[in-house]
Amino acid sequence: MPSMEALRHLLAPAILALLGCAGVLVLLLRTGLAWRLAVDLPNHRSLHTRPTPRVGGWGVTPVSTLLILIFSPALVGVALATLALGLLSHLDDRYGLPARLRFIAHLLAAAGLLWVLPPTATPWLALPLIFALVWLINLYNFMDGADGLAGGMAVFGFGAYAIAASHTQPDLAGASAIVAGAALGFLLFNFPPAKVFLGDSGSIPLGFLAGGLGYWGWHTGAWSWWFPMMVFLPFIADASITLLRRLLQGERFWEAHRQHYYQRMIQMRGAHRGIVLRWYGLMLCSTFVAFCAMDMPRHQAIAAMAAWVGAVVALGWNVDRQWRRFSLRRPDSNKV
């Protein structure tokens, strides 16, 4: 565990990020500007029932970028790429951009990171890593569909990064603490019932940071390659299994839908808050397993992580089982 001194150094930028993000969102809401920038209108695929501003990214992304430049200058390239993705994604929120243009931007951001920090020991990993980073960028966007879910995952995930890197990589730890703090500032307005949504201008940059900072930590020796995967396992498992299932069924996976596990859980229970709190429990367990595995002998770490992955898969299987029963009672649920 990090020393109290290390934690104190992380608290200052995290609190600044929290206050900065919350301040921006208060300003946008009270001036009415939030409603002019981007609004999410409910439709038959939505889990919400009233129009809600999609401006969470306007707080999270610029505040995180600015504070990373101040407190973690070693990550200037990551910060600027994050800001560029946020600006492009806001245009997508507001006007709708072609999928090809968005994909090229995500690809350039991932390739740029690997150009700055190439996997020199194993250069053949470059292409798989670019693919993984692009997937994480979009994964966060796919999982941003329930009040409090993406913001909570960011608080847990980047908080875990900050603690794990505090011993050896102060710049990485500071950047992670900043993102966690900004996410907490956003969560104050997004916890059910949400007053604002994250939007692509927030979810895309957070996805890039989850992958980019995770790779940075592995490359610099702050943690093993599996640590980011374990920390973000609830998001990775839900999004990846859902995508694979839609691909196997021949569906257009890029189109909006309500087939994620968290979406089905909310449809069955009819409320966000209780389901989101259960997901927070999953996130907490994942970070706990990740930290425990860091201090275990290799064979014990593998066994612990395999057991937790098996538990997550079992939970998903149980949701599938309940969904099939629910669908028999509500045939219309199969249409979404």
Side-chain angles (χ1 to χ4, degrees):
M1 291 296 293
S3 64
M4 292 302 298
E5 185 66 25
L7 287 177
R8 281 195 291 269
H9 282 299
L10 296 179
L11 274 179
I15 292 173
L16 283 175
L18 187 159
L19 295 175
C21 181
V24 169
L25 295 181
V26 167
L27 181 65
L28 293 177
L29 289 170
R30 291 194 174 178
T31 60
L33 186 59
W35 295 93
R36 296 195 291 272
L37 289 172
V39 176
D40 195 300
L41 300 175
N43 55 46
H44 68 287
R45 297 184 186 274
S46 303
L47 293 177
H48 63 288
T49 57
R50 61 182 183 181
T52 305
R54 277 189 299 179
V55 295
W58 277 72
V60 173
T61 303
V63 167
S64 296
T65 300
L66 175 61
L67 291 178
I68 289 173
L69 290 173
I70 295 172
F71 289 96
S72 302
L75 280 79
V76 57
V78 172
L80 294 178
T82 300
L83 182 60
L85 286 174
L87 291 172
L88 182 71
S89 299
H90 171 68
L91 295 176
D92 187 37
D93 277 334
R94 191 169 175 84
Y95 304 110
L97 298 177
R100 183 180 302 176
L101 177 60
R102 300 197 306 269
F103 176 75
I104 291 173
H106 302 166
L107 195 64
L108 289 174
L113 178 63
L114 290 182
W115 181 74
V116 173
L117 285 179
T120 51
T122 49
W124 59 270
L125 279 177
L127 286 179
L129 284 170
I130 289 174
F131 172 81
L133 287 169
V134 171
W135 171 229
L136 281 169
I137 291 171
N138 288 277
L139 176 152
Y140 230 98
N141 189 32
F142 294 157
M143 295 296 291
D144 177 32
D147 297 355
L149 188 67
M153 183 75 259
V155 173
F156 281 100
F158 291 102
Y161 280 5
I163 294 172
S166 61
H167 290 294
T168 57
Q169 297 293 327
D171 279 277
L172 176 60
S176 301
I178 286 166
V179 180
L184 184 56
F186 161 70
L187 194 58
L188 297 177
F189 300 85
N190 184 247
F191 191 76
K195 297 180 179 66
V196 298
F197 291 159
L198 192 57
D200 286 5
S201 60
S203 62
I204 294 296
L206 281 177
F208 172 70
L209 287 168
L213 297 185
Y215 172 70
W216 192 289
W218 174 39
H219 190 278
T220 56
W223 47 65
S224 299
W225 62 269
W226 47 261
F227 182 77
M229 296 175 59
M230 290 304 301
V231 166
F232 286 95
L233 181 64
F235 264 32
I236 293 173
D238 187 323
S240 300
I241 293 173
T242 302
L243 174 66
L244 180 60
R245 181 163 50 200
R246 286 172 63 81
L247 285 172
L248 293 175
Q249 292 173 350
E251 299 178 14
R252 297 180 178 181
F253 65 88
W254 59 89
E255 292 184 348
H257 60 87
R258 296 200 297 181
Q259 297 181 26
H260 284 285
Y261 285 95
Y262 74 89
Q263 291 172 321
R264 289 182 167 179
M265 291 170 72
I266 290 172
Q267 290 177 75
M268 288 188 287
R269 297 293 181 266
H272 287 236
R273 186 184 294 258
I275 299 303
V276 168
L277 289 175
R278 292 186 190 184
W279 274 79
Y280 288 178
L282 277 177
M283 297 168 192
L284 182 60
C285 287
S286 281
T287 56
F288 177 75
V289 171
F291 277 110
C292 288
M294 289 182 74
D295 296 325
M296 290 179 177
R298 184 177 180 183
H299 66 283
Q300 292 182 6
I302 292 173
M305 290 188 292
W308 177 238
V309 170
V312 170
V313 171
L315 290 171
W317 175 84
N318 186 51
V319 172
D320 285 333
R321 182 177 60 85
Q322 293 182 30
W323 179 255
R324 286 192 292 270
R325 293 178 179 176
F326 177 77
S327 299
L328 291 175
R329 297 193 303 268
R330 293 276 304 276
D332 59 307
S333 64
N334 289 315
K335 299 177 182 179
V336 291

